[in-house]
Amino acid sequence: MPALDALLTLLIPTLILLHLYVAPFTKVEESFNIQAAHDILTYGIPTGNFSTALRSYDHFDFPGPVPRTFVGAVLLAGAIRAVLGLYNACALLYYRNGVSTAFGRNIGNWYLLIHIGQFHLMYYASRTLPNMFAFGLSTLAMRNFLPIPAAAPAISKRHKLSIYLLTITGIVFRSEIAMLLAAQVGYLLLQKRISLARDVVPAGLAGAVVGLSVTIPIDSFFWQKFPLWPELAGFYFNTVKGKSSDWGTSPWWTYIGNALPRLVMNPVAGQVCIPLAVALKPTRKASLDILIPLAIFVGIYSVLPHKEWRFVVYALPGLTAVAAIGANWIWTRRAKSMAYRFLSLALTASTLASIGVSLGMLAISSLNYPGAAALDKLHRITLGSKEVVNIHLDAMTCMTGVTRFTQMPPQSLLRYDKTDDEQELLSPPFWEKFDYVLAERPEKVIGGWEIVDEVHGFAGLRVLHPGEGRHAGGGDGAFKKLDVERTSLWTRSVDFARSKITRGWWIEIKMEPKIRILKRDRG
């Protein structure tokens, strides 16, 4: 049905933009690229005294443990974050086109339906993590490894394009892509479906030349270190020196047992449809061709002690494609037996539930940026000031939404300080120069201060039993950003749902003070 195809196609970019609109702020993992994009837009790319002009850039004050590439930020600075989200949406839709061509339109539609309920993908597609710059390119590349019918020369051309794109992606954006490339190429070589001399070496060398030609000049210029290859430096720091463990370690099974099920999110799709697609003889080979390289990639990466879901997010389109194969098998046979009828009902319920849960997680996630909300309040408090206002932002404030985009421009009278050196923070003279402080823990701020306001943030969920009232500061208060907690309509809707639908049970969003706005007590 063309109308259904068009609707499902539009839902992917629409949901990505909805997640961006509801939760526009960023956290520390995204900070480098968003700060770099701000600095390029604000200060431009220096053409005179490079070292002096670049000193206004944030990465010289807060360089982080390893350098990160400026390539994504340079591209992003030419537009807005929505472009990043739409770029990833186009990559997903391009992959869907390959799924539809290889397996049929219905499987392509199931692929989109399952993606729609994947919170992490929809939420982070527009966020400036280095992984999300890499995600679009890796998805475009992996699409060309799908078993799309074609003549041998066309298939060889697609394989070489994929190797070329993955090589560039690994060199410029994320070094773990090299493991995904090795797994995919190794699998095809074992099956004698590609040639090392004809396909792999030429495409890999071309990708390496292009990738290095892009990242080394750009990043050496912005970091003022010649020559600099950020992903090589990051690989050496995190893998060779083992410094990634400083951010925590996880057991070897974390990706398989936790991260990937959370990414797929739809429990029936992940735990029923994928195994079913592998078990059934008609769909087994195609499913294994997609899954085996991804399994090798995840298995290799599981050896490293520090694990995060974003390191293996590139496997998600392939997993979703196999889940769609299994889902379509169930759905098209729902009238043939009680077992398939039951599974189709479970699949429908699971798909709708995952979409609902994903939207609920979006609402909750929008409450995780108290730093940005506190800075916005402070801007309103200081509005119209005729004198310079010096502001200190503590670490929690900076990590929960504050970027240079949320600060007032340099020509304003507001001056921001983000010092996080513990010794300096223990010095009383350090605090005397500030008029306001945004702090998670006011007791650590030395001197005479008064709390003029506080900003709440998400603090978990709480199950309310029948007859139990809502907690002050929770529940309705969680939606203060949307100004719905004060409307009688919202209150009546909650009361109606509790009394008529859930019989008194309810899930309350707990909020607690996260950031305090302190004003110097001049008395």
Side-chain angles (χ1 to χ4, degrees):
M1 293 180 288
L4 177 61
D5 293 354
L7 176 62
L8 292 176
T9 299
L10 288 173
L11 274 176
I12 293 291
T14 300
L15 282 172
I16 288 174
L17 293 179
L18 174 66
H19 283 71
L20 170 60
Y21 174 76
V22 174
F25 300 122
T26 57
K27 280 195 175 181
V28 63
E29 297 90 347
E30 311 154 50
S31 62
F32 171 77
N33 282 302
I34 198 70
Q35 302 284 38
H38 168 275
D39 293 340
I40 293 167
L41 287 169
T42 302
Y43 306 115
I45 297 178
T47 56
N49 188 330
F50 296 148
S51 60
T52 301
L54 282 171
R55 289 296 162 184
S56 299
Y57 277 47
D58 181 80
H59 68 288
F60 282 106
D61 292 327
F62 304 96
V66 294
R68 291 297 182 191
T69 180
F70 265 85
V71 173
V74 169
L75 297 173
L76 185 63
I80 55 173
R81 264 180 55 199
V83 173
L84 176 60
L86 292 175
Y87 149 74
N88 282 318
C90 289
L92 290 171
L93 294 175
Y94 180 69
Y95 194 97
R96 179 269 192 125
N97 176 266
V99 170
S100 297
T101 304
F103 307 115
R105 189 180 68 186
N106 290 338
I107 294 177
N109 287 341
W110 273 110
Y111 169 82
L112 291 183
L113 275 172
I114 296 170
H115 265 320
I116 288 167
Q118 293 170 346
F119 167 75
H120 289 84
L121 183 56
M122 296 296 107
Y123 187 77
Y124 283 93
S126 65
R127 313 193 80 79
T128 53
L129 289 167
N131 311 79
M132 299 320 295
F133 286 107
F135 178 82
L137 281 173
S138 69
T139 301
L140 294 175
M142 296 303 288
R143 185 264 192 192
N144 288 307
F145 286 125
L146 290 170
I148 300 172
I155 294 175
S156 176
K157 185 177 179 180
R158 287 205 305 262
H159 287 165
K160 285 192 284 189
L161 176 60
S162 296
I163 295 168
Y164 172 77
L165 289 175
L166 287 176
T167 303
I168 293 175
T169 308
I171 286 174
V172 175
F173 292 113
R174 290 298 305 186
S175 58
E176 66 260 22
I177 294 294
M179 301 182 195
L180 178 61
L181 173 60
Q184 185 68 62
V185 167
Y187 179 72
L188 294 176
L189 284 173
L190 287 174
Q191 292 196 324
K192 299 181 179 180
R193 291 164 57 184
I194 59 173
S195 166
L196 186 64
R198 186 187 67 243
D199 300 320
V200 180
V201 173
L205 285 176
V209 169
V210 171
L212 293 172
S213 298
V214 170
T215 187
I216 291 179
I218 290 177
D219 294 309
S220 297
F221 168 77
F222 279 106
W223 287 97
Q224 291 291 286
K225 296 178 183 178
F226 298 89
L228 177 65
W229 178 5
E231 278 310 295
L232 180 61
F235 176 80
Y236 177 76
F237 181 84
N238 289 314
T239 304
V240 178
K241 295 180 70 175
K243 292 295 185 179
S244 65
S245 299
D246 295 347
W247 282 268
T249 61
S250 304
W252 66 267
W253 49 262
T254 299
Y255 287 134
I256 298 173
N258 184 283
L260 291 176
R262 284 170 52 214
L263 285 173
V264 175
M265 199 160 170
N266 185 326
V268 174
Q271 299 170 34
V272 176
C273 295
I274 292 178
L276 181 65
V278 173
L280 294 168
K281 189 174 180 179
T283 60
R284 182 180 304 148
K285 185 181 185 306
S287 299
L288 289 177
D289 283 345
I290 296 173
L291 288 177
I292 289 177
L294 301 179
I296 295 172
F297 162 64
V298 173
I300 295 173
Y301 220 65
S302 294
V303 175
L304 297 179
H306 179 63
K307 298 176 178 64
E308 296 185 40
W309 64 264
R310 58 192 177 95
F311 298 156
V312 294
V313 69
Y314 323 106
L316 189 53
L319 292 175
T320 304
V322 177
I325 293 172
N328 185 68
W329 183 276
I330 291 171
W331 186 253
T332 56
R333 287 158 179 78
R334 64 188 183 277
K336 293 187 175 181
S337 70
M338 284 296 297
Y340 280 122
R341 188 174 298 119
F342 171 78
L343 286 174
S344 65
L345 289 173
L347 177 62
T348 302
S350 181
T351 301
L352 293 175
S354 65
I355 294 172
V357 170
S358 178
L359 292 175
M361 292 175 68
L362 168 61
I364 291 172
S365 296
S366 69
L367 307 173
N368 278 325
Y369 303 92
L375 187 59
D376 180 61
K377 279 192 173 186
L378 181 58
H379 287 161
R380 283 182 264 134
I381 291 172
T382 59
L383 184 66
S385 174
K386 303 299 183 183
E387 299 179 352
V388 172
V389 178
N390 292 300
I391 305 165
H392 174 72
L393 311 173
D394 77 346
M396 176 59 73
T397 303
C398 294
M399 291 193 302
T400 55
V402 169
T403 68
R404 291 194 174 189
F405 278 112
T406 61
Q407 298 173 194
M408 298 298 287
Q411 61 268 29
S412 74
L413 293 176
L414 302 186
R415 303 291 180 264
Y416 304 94
D417 175 83
K418 301 178 183 178
T419 300
D420 60 356
D421 180 80
E422 288 293 335
Q423 293 302 315
E424 197 165 358
L425 293 177
L426 292 174
S427 170
F430 168 80
W431 296 100
E432 291 177 0
K433 58 188 175 185
F434 298 115
D435 303 294
Y436 289 90
V437 173
L438 301 188
E440 177 189 18
R441 298 178 63 184
E443 67 272 14
K444 295 184 120 183
V445 180
I446 299 172
W449 302 86
E450 63 171 313
I451 299 177
V452 296
D453 207 342
E454 60 183 21
V455 175
H456 289 65
F458 177 68
L461 300 174
R462 175 171 172 257
V463 178
L464 297 180
H465 295 77
E468 187 176 5
R470 287 183 294 237
H471 188 271
D476 299 340
F479 296 93
K480 189 173 182 180
K481 175 184 175 183
L482 302 177
D483 289 331
V484 296
E485 83 285 7
R486 296 174 183 171
T487 64
S488 58
L489 175 61
W490 172 254
T491 303
R492 289 200 304 270
S493 298
V494 170
D495 291 341
F496 175 81
R498 287 191 70 181
S499 62
K500 303 297 184 182
I501 301 175
T502 64
R503 298 186 179 275
W505 295 89
W506 197 250
I507 297 178
E508 178 184 78
I509 299 174
K510 293 192 294 183
M511 304 288 285
E512 65 182 25
K514 296 289 186 179
I515 305 294
R516 281 79 174 180
I517 302 176
L518 308 181
K519 180 181 180 181
R520 177 170 291 284
D521 186 351
R522 296 296 180 185

